[in-house]
Every structure is written in C-alpha cells, then in structure tokens.
Amino acid sequence: GENVEQHPSTLSVQEGDSAVIKCTYSDSASNYFPWYKQELGKRPQLIIDIRSNVGEKKDQRIAVTLNKTAKHFSLHITETQPEDSAVYFCAASMDNYQLIWGAGTKLIIKP
Amino acid sequence: NAGVTQTPKFQVLKTGQSMTLQCAQDMNHEYMSWYRQDPGMGLRLIHYSVGAGITDQGEVPNGYNVSRSTTEDFPLRLLSAAPSQTSVYFCASRSFNREHGYTFGSGTRLTVV
C-alpha cells in the first residue's frame, strides 16, 4: 500500500526566512497531495493541495511543488511569521477518499 | 453551515465504561472518518464510511464500533474504555467531488482513568 514519509520532524527557522518541508510517497498511482496545518490544541486545517496534473501551486506565502518522477512533493513557506508556528502534515491519495498521512513536521519560528 | 460538529469536547471515563462520541456534518459529504491523535503523534485512522449504511475499518479499529444510518451522522462507540484509548479524537468528512480536502471537527479530548 501507499506510504508517505515526511522530513524533517522538526524545523526551526528565523522569522522572515523560508521553510521547506518534504514528503515522499511510494505509489505512483497517488494523484492528490494536500497539506494541513495544525496549531497547538486545534484541528488540522487544509492550507494548500495539488493534483498530479500540476507541478506547482501557490497561495500568497505558501507553495507546493510536485515531482511525479521522483515521487516527492514539498511545502514552501516564504517570509515566515510567528503565526506559521504549527505542526504541518502532508498526505497522499489515490483518487479514492482515503488519505495516507505523513508523520508531521513541527515548525518553530524564532523571533 | 456549521461544518463538522463533534460532541463532547472533553470526556473522562473510567476503565470499562462505554460511551459514544458524536459527529455530525451538514455539508452533504459522502465520506466520513474517525481519527485518533496521541500526543506528539500523527493521525491514525480508526473507521471510515463512504455513505449511509457502509462502514469499514481503518488502521486501529480494535475497541471501537461505528455506524452510519444517515449521511449526516457518524458516531464512534467505545465498547469498554481502556487507558490506551486516552487520546484526542477527530472526525473528518469529504465530498465525492474531491474539489476540497477533509474538513475536520474540533476534536474530543478523551481521558480514560
């Protein structure tokens, strides 16, 4: 079955710098890749997603890139701010409804 | 449009007690699921449903039952609570049109003593 690996488990960046979180997936049939942000004590919330027919998608300071050949996708956050501090989860789906989740990355923004 | 509503928000149970966590969505989503999240951990799928009358097991189904009699409701039953079931439980739903990802409920923090 599908397996999603996420790195790093913890990422600490200076406020204003960029942050990159990477995920790899195992099944080439996966075609939907969302990213969720979970603030402390809150529910996970979808922040951006990408489908396999697109290589990159941007939404203000966040972007996701997808390399189907290498089977990896990445979340990019530019000009990081204190409110970006959270746990970020990647996931993959094979055009069904099940999401296979990464283990999460704790992003720490240092003032 | 309330989204996904979970009740209760907090619950303390004694070992051996049973209870039902409620989940309701008003978005006419066909897919509904239950996850548990332990401290510092990711999301583990307990049970899911692709429509009324259809349920299936996820990664960690033991000790839990579900039913889906309507599109809106997907309750999770703990049959005989154990301390290992202390966790935060999230309900999530998704539409078949797949234009959007999962919508999560606000979670139920369960402690079994």
Side-chain angles (χ1 to χ4, degrees):
Chain A
E2 175 66 286
N3 182 54
V4 176
E5 294 189 358
Q6 184 172 348
H7 299 280
S9 57
T10 304
L11 178 60
S12 183
V13 302
Q14 206 70 37
E15 181 178 349
D17 289 349
S18 295
V20 181
I21 303 170
K22 298 180 180 179
C23 289
T24 60
Y25 60 99
S26 59
D27 197 320
S28 56
S30 290
N31 60 4
Y32 175 67
F33 308 93
W35 285 89
Y36 285 79
K37 176 184 180 182
Q38 187 177 27
E39 297 175 355
L40 190 62
K42 301 288 183 63
R43 76 189 82 185
Q45 292 197 299
L46 178 70
I47 56 171
I48 196 167
D49 57 9
I50 193 168
R51 297 194 179 276
S52 58
N53 58 349
V54 176
E56 183 176 6
K57 184 176 178 180
K58 289 184 180 179
D59 183 2
Q60 299 183 339
R61 293 187 298 109
I62 61 173
V64 56
T65 58
L66 172 65
N67 184 325
K68 287 192 293 182
T69 302
K71 289 190 282 188
H72 67 71
F73 56 111
S74 300
L75 177 71
H76 304 254
I77 305 174
T78 59
E79 301 173 5
T80 53
Q81 300 170 4
E83 54 265 35
D84 295 329
S85 293
V87 177
Y88 291 81
F89 292 97
C90 66
S93 175
M94 287 183 284
D95 205 32
N96 56 22
Y97 313 103
Q98 297 288 38
L99 289 179
I100 307 302
W101 296 86
T105 295
K106 183 176 183 180
L107 178 61
I108 301 166
I109 308 300
K110 297 181 291 185
Chain B
N1 204 349
V4 179
T5 303
Q6 283 186 241
T7 56
K9 294 191 183 300
F10 301 94
Q11 182 70 50
V12 178
L13 288 179
K14 293 182 179 179
T15 298
Q17 286 184 319
S18 62
M19 79 160 293
T20 299
L21 309 185
Q22 301 292 344
C23 175
Q25 52 91 10
D26 61 358
M27 299 171 285
N28 205 31
H29 284 176
E30 297 87 351
Y31 179 86
M32 297 185 74
S33 55
W34 277 101
Y35 287 90
R36 62 175 288 173
Q37 186 175 35
D38 299 315
M41 302 287 286
L43 297 158
R44 291 190 291 171
L45 181 65
I46 305 171
H47 286 285
Y48 66 96
S49 168
V50 298
I54 306 169
T55 63
D56 207 345
Q57 297 181 351
E59 179 186 356
V60 288
N62 292 341
Y64 308 94
N65 274 356
V66 291
S67 60
R68 184 95 180 270
S69 55
T70 67
T71 299
E72 293 78 21
D73 299 300
F74 190 45
L76 178 72
R77 297 185 189 83
L78 278 71
L79 309 173
S80 177
S84 61
Q85 294 179 304
T86 293
S87 190
V88 178
Y89 292 83
F90 288 102
C91 179
S93 70
R94 189 181 181 191
S95 171
F96 276 3
N97 69 20
R98 305 191 189 102
E99 287 302 315
H100 304 286
Y102 287 7
T103 299
F104 281 84
S106 57
T108 296
R109 187 173 298 273
L110 175 69
T111 303
V112 182
V113 298

